[in-house]
Amino acid sequence: MSPAPAPLASFARRHLLGIAGLSRAEITALLDMAETAIEVSRQVEKKKTVLRGRTLINLFFEASTRTQSSFEIAGKRLGADVMNMSVGGSSVKKGETLLDTAITLNAMHPDILVVRHHAAGAAELLAQKVGCSVVNAGDGAHEHPTQALLDALTIRRRKGRIEGLIVAICGDVLHSRVARSNIIALTALGATVRVVGPSTLMPARVERLGVEAHTAMATGLRDADIVMMLRLQRERMDGSFVPSVREYFRFFGLDERKLAYAKPDALVMHPGPINRGVEIDSAIADGPQSLIREQVEMGVATRMAVLEALAAQLKND
Amino acid sequence: MTDRDPPRPLVLQNVRVVDPARQLDAMGAVAVADGVIRHAGPGDFAAPDGAEIVDGRGEIVGPGVIDMCVFIGEPGAEHRETLGSAARSAAAGGVTAIVTMPDTEPAIDDAALVDFIARRARDRAPVHIYPAAALTKGLEGREIAEFGLLREAGAVAFTDGRRTVMNALVMRRALGYARDFDALIMHHAADQNLAGAGVMNEGETATRLGLPGIPREAETMILDRDIRLAALTGGRYHAAQISCAASLDAIRKAKADGLRVTCGVSINHLTLNENDIGPYRTFFKLSPPLRHEDDRLAMVAGVADGTIDVIVSSHDPQDVDTKRHPFAEAADGAVGVETLLPVALRLVHNGDVDYVRLFRALSTRPAELLGIPGGTLAPGSPADLVMIDPHAPWVLDPDALHSRSKNTPFDGAKIEGRVLRTVVAGRTVYEYGRDDPR
């Protein structure tokens, strides 16, 4: 018998639609690739060529400067031609459906479609209808897989591991795709994950995702290694889900007092953009325990890793 | 009905006759002449002169299915379904009568519109069509419709279709006023405020999919309210479709208390659950939503013990325009009038009910609740019947459906049991092989 060939890529999929369904080995492989990408990004000459001649379309039905520019830079550093399409205004108002848009774009023969949409399942639907690779850059309250990967990478680099850590995800878990993807990724990587927030912002049967649910920061943050804050949309604080901004900040906003429940060396994360004084105090967001800026750097590296992994699966004819 | 020459008399020999109205399940024959059943069951009979004699080879003959909940696109959305296409689809499914829902454009809230449906049906439909009329004007839930005039025009029940009357005072008056005409109120029980933006059953599956959920309480709260109002008014109340175990308990208690309360369940809620949604399959987006497997099992038990009176298709034709969207933005509903009976046979094959119980829920009880002819094979009854091969295996191909819309949740499903022949008023309106697209 000949020796087994060394595994080429441990992530051999055509699309990245979510973290759900990925194995621990696949997640780890992407994180390892991202480590390499960090080095590329820190060089003066930041170019690689794996996507040379390839077309990447950023299709954003929801505005997101941060995620869109992160994918754009990642694509360009890998040599792709990147086109940004913000569909928020024009086509949607004309009654063009998601699938009409997809069919139009498909005719332009892109290689990779990065999609952000307000409806859960939108990326899945597109993936069924287009011929190219699809990366989910956030679909409704479902998943945001590259955010979870970049968060895991950030944690792993700073803590040296993920296994055994206590991670508290705090705030509007109900509407958060970041929370869902992080819960799946971090539990798969061996962390203990807690979700913390008022019952009105907690999804039904959330404990079935393998997390502990807490309704008070004092218990939810106790001995936590990582405190991950979620963004709360302004329109959800007018009495519909929580009574007011000031009440929310009093009980669930992260300040010095509440952070003290966590471990002394606990690190604070936020997917951005932050609402200062709503879910997080400015002093914490800008303080020594904050990883918020580092998350942005890791975002580019993670997206390079994802695009590179998908590039290996692209057809060559 | 298409009135051509009077149909030739028909004799179905060597068949298993199932007639719940007579507690009959026995080998025998069925003889039909002049649109009326002359004989159905064991024993001797005189074959009518010139009759077509069919050897049934032991297959089952039962009363034609009466489907109490069928949404139509006519008037207003004929590209999805017309009365004619719905009726042809019904005939191919062994359904000899359908009750059409009033959610059309315009809504059926006026006697002239009931008359329009009835006349169109007479001209174009091979099966009986009984219109249900609006419970409130414009289906807006504010003012009660003209039950008396609508009933005179031919409306067999009053319902706001997909909509729920949220105002308890309006519902109280509707039930009270309907009682004066002994009219049946059919209601879609779903609290719109509590359901909110929900698009599927609330629970683990919705949480994983990131979709807003609809708690079971949205159904049970309105049902509890309506049952109390039925008690208060003495009105006849029928919950159009229940979906969860707690609703079954409420209906069971109302019946034990002697109230005139009945309920239906859709074939989808008897055979599917929320897990079938899988990766956001919109053909499984229904209202009420598909629930947990425990609820499905409770629905089956409810049919078996008779707490659930009727099984409906909740046939709701939708097309690409309304279904090919992200899940939350897609329309509710699935076609089903054609697959209702074949899929319902699963309950028999699984040992949950016998044929008598199944045909009671599909035919006999609907006729009783609506006060319409049919639902039995007793001599003298209208010759509305179906002959089925309960064990023929086939795989559902949506393109073979007679409906104009193909949004079936049973795409590719393996089905055991096929409709061989459908007879309406003594005329064979569907015969397997003869009347199929290919």
Side-chain angles (χ1 to χ4, degrees):
Chain A
M1 259 178 69
S2 59
L8 294 169
S10 306
F11 183 89
R13 291 173 186 259
R14 222 177 121 217
H15 309 294
L16 179 66
L17 303 177
I19 300 293
L22 300 188
S23 67
R24 181 174 179 153
E26 286 174 303
I27 296 170
T28 304
L30 289 173
L31 299 185
D32 293 346
M33 288 175 76
E35 294 275 5
T36 314
I38 296 167
E39 301 312 315
V40 174
S41 288
R42 288 181 178 173
Q43 293 163 11
V44 178
E45 168 74 45
K46 299 182 177 64
K47 273 289 202 201
K48 287 187 76 177
T49 56
V50 293
L51 287 180
R52 189 165 62 194
R54 301 291 191 177
T55 303
L56 183 154
I57 296 182
N58 268 329
L59 179 60
F60 276 60
F61 291 86
E62 273 182 353
S64 166
T65 313
R66 185 177 301 238
T67 305
Q68 183 171 323
S69 53
S70 183
F71 270 107
E72 181 175 357
I73 290 169
K76 285 180 172 166
R77 285 185 183 163
L78 295 174
D81 297 315
V82 180
M83 192 188 92
N84 291 315
M85 279 194 66
S86 297
V87 201
S90 59
S91 297
V92 172
K93 282 190 187 121
K94 284 182 208 149
E96 190 174 43
T97 66
L98 175 61
L99 283 182
D100 291 333
T101 309
I103 290 161
T104 305
L105 287 176
N106 209 30
M108 300 178 194
H109 301 291
D111 298 289
I112 300 175
L113 201 56
V114 175
V115 62
R116 156 78 56 99
H117 195 276
H118 56 83
E124 171 88 39
L125 185 60
L126 275 180
Q128 291 166 12
K129 302 294 171 188
V130 297
C132 62
S133 288
V134 174
V135 180
N136 183 3
D139 64 327
H142 178 223
E143 283 231 40
H144 189 357
T146 57
Q147 179 72 42
L149 292 169
L150 78 88
D151 287 340
L153 180 66
T154 309
I155 296 169
R156 196 176 77 169
R157 283 173 63 85
R158 287 295 291 261
K159 291 288 186 185
R161 66 191 166 103
I162 289 173
E163 178 96 46
L165 296 181
I166 297 175
V167 180
I169 301 177
C170 309
D172 185 0
V173 180
L174 179 64
H175 299 99
S176 177
R177 51 194 171 219
V178 174
R180 277 173 186 71
S181 288
N182 262 305
I183 288 167
I184 302 166
L186 295 173
T187 52
L189 295 170
T192 296
V193 178
R194 300 180 189 152
V195 288
V196 191
S199 293
T200 48
L201 292 174
M202 206 54 82
R205 312 291 299 270
V206 69
E207 68 287 348
R208 301 278 299 177
L209 304 188
V211 300
E212 298 170 22
H214 293 265
T215 53
M217 295 288 268
T219 55
L221 264 56
R222 183 175 299 146
D223 298 328
D225 297 286
I226 302 289
V227 179
M228 189 181 287
M229 301 307 295
L230 300 172
R231 180 179 167 81
L232 180 62
Q233 306 279 351
R234 288 252 163 204
E235 63 268 22
R236 292 179 180 137
M237 290 175 286
D238 57 3
S240 53
F241 290 88
V242 292
S244 66
V245 173
R246 64 181 186 179
E247 173 139 331
Y248 184 77
F249 187 73
R250 169 72 179 77
F251 292 97
F252 295 99
L254 189 66
D255 54 17
E256 291 289 353
R257 186 179 57 87
K258 297 193 199 81
L259 184 54
Y261 297 126
K263 284 202 182 118
D265 63 347
L267 296 171
V268 176
M269 303 175 75
H270 191 298
I274 62 175
N275 288 317
R276 292 171 187 272
V278 176
E279 69 255 352
I280 191 164
D281 192 75
S282 271
I284 304 280
D286 304 328
Q289 287 169 279
S290 171
L291 293 180
I292 296 173
R293 253 173 298 177
E294 197 167 329
Q295 284 174 274
V296 178
E297 184 187 2
M298 293 306 124
V300 175
T302 300
R303 281 149 191 148
M304 286 173 72
V306 167
L307 296 176
E308 197 168 348
L310 293 177
Q313 306 302 316
L314 291 176
K315 281 177 272 183
N316 279 313
D317 50 3
Chain B
M1 302 266 82
T2 37
D3 279 314
R4 298 173 299 247
D5 303 326
R8 187 179 165 197
L10 176 68
V11 173
L12 304 172
Q13 283 182 325
N14 187 25
V15 291
R16 180 174 170 184
V17 180
V18 175
D19 186 7
R22 294 182 291 157
Q23 281 299 320
L24 180 71
D25 180 356
M27 290 304 297
V30 176
V32 167
D34 304 321
V36 172
I37 302 215
R38 300 294 184 198
H39 172 89
D44 297 330
F45 65 97
D49 288 344
E52 175 190 2
I53 311 283
V54 175
D55 179 5
R57 300 176 185 191
E59 306 298 6
I60 289 175
V61 174
V65 174
I66 300 172
D67 188 344
M68 282 180 69
C69 188
V70 177
F71 296 90
I72 308 275
E74 184 174 355
E78 287 82 355
H79 62 290
R80 283 183 217 155
E81 196 84 292
T82 61
L83 289 162
S85 64
R88 283 190 294 281
S89 193
V95 176
T96 55
I98 59 178
V99 176
T100 55
M101 295 295 106
D103 326 32
T104 46
E105 187 57 50
I108 309 303
D109 63 354
D110 186 280
L113 290 163
V114 173
D115 189 57
F116 165 81
I117 299 283
R119 275 188 292 109
R120 296 282 286 182
R122 267 196 300 277
D123 293 346
R124 305 185 178 234
V127 305
H128 304 292
I129 289 186
Y130 295 103
L135 183 59
T136 63
K137 289 172 188 163
L139 311 178
E140 287 175 351
R142 290 199 290 267
E143 302 162 45
I144 54 176
E146 297 167 315
F147 296 164
L149 293 173
L150 290 162
R151 200 169 156 78
E152 280 183 357
V156 292
F158 299 92
T159 177
D160 275 357
R162 299 177 182 87
R163 300 202 202 173
T164 301
V165 175
M166 288 304 298
N167 185 324
L169 178 59
V170 173
M171 195 57 167
R172 185 235 171 121
R173 288 182 179 147
L175 277 162
Y177 187 66
R179 185 189 172 213
D180 300 345
F181 296 91
D182 195 34
L184 180 68
I185 300 289
M186 281 185 6
H187 200 211
H188 178 76
D191 189 306
Q192 300 307 301
N193 300 319
L194 186 56
V199 295
M200 69 171 289
N201 185 41
E202 181 172 293
E204 180 185 348
T205 309
T207 291
R208 286 187 184 279
L209 291 172
L211 292 171
I214 301 172
R216 293 169 181 80
E217 284 72 11
E219 177 171 305
T220 55
M221 282 170 56
I222 294 291
L223 194 58
D224 287 340
R225 180 200 77 176
D226 288 353
I227 288 170
R228 287 175 193 279
L229 293 175
L232 178 65
T233 59
R236 271 209 302 146
Y237 177 83
H238 178 76
Q241 294 185 59
I242 64 169
S243 68
C244 55
S247 295
L248 203 58
D249 296 339
I251 296 284
R252 198 173 276 130
K253 180 174 182 304
K255 289 186 169 186
D257 292 345
L259 302 180
R260 300 204 295 168
V261 168
T262 54
C263 73
V265 66
S266 90
I267 186 64
N268 304 312
H269 293 86
L270 287 170
T271 54
L272 306 169
N273 68 34
E274 61 184 349
N275 295 331
D276 288 305
I277 290 167
Y280 303 97
R281 287 197 287 252
T282 59
F283 286 7
F284 294 82
K285 186 180 183 216
L286 307 174
S287 178
L290 291 172
R291 302 280 185 191
H292 192 270
E293 175 66 3
D294 292 345
D295 293 300
R296 186 191 73 82
L297 292 172
M299 294 300 102
V300 173
V303 172
D305 71 15
T307 305
I308 294 178
D309 297 85
V310 304
I311 303 172
V312 298
S313 69
S314 193
H315 180 80
D316 195 348
Q318 301 289 340
D319 61 12
V320 173
D321 290 348
T322 51
K323 277 291 190 185
R324 298 259 187 241
H325 293 287
F327 194 87
E329 294 163 19
D332 297 324
V335 292
V337 69
E338 192 166 341
T339 46
L340 170 59
L341 174 56
V343 173
L345 288 170
R346 284 184 185 174
L347 271 60
V348 177
H349 299 324
N350 291 341
D352 297 312
V353 299
D354 59 16
Y355 288 111
V356 170
R357 172 64 74 186
L358 185 68
F359 275 96
R360 185 185 301 284
L362 287 170
S363 179
T364 309
R365 281 300 279 156
E368 289 169 3
L369 296 182
L370 296 164
I372 60 174
T376 175
L377 298 174
S381 308
D384 298 342
L385 57 87
V386 58
M387 183 162 80
I388 56 174
D389 172 352
H391 297 295
W394 56 293
V395 174
L396 189 127
D397 171 9
D399 290 336
L401 293 175
H402 293 70
S403 171
R404 282 199 180 175
S405 294
K406 310 297 179 190
N407 55 310
T408 171
F410 299 102
D411 183 353
K414 296 179 180 69
I415 297 175
E416 183 182 348
R418 185 196 299 287
V419 174
L420 297 176
R421 182 187 286 257
T422 307
V423 175
V424 175
R427 187 187 306 277
T428 297
V429 296
Y430 171 82
E431 201 176 325
Y432 171 60
R434 185 193 77 178
D435 297 309
D436 291 295
R438 47 189 158 102

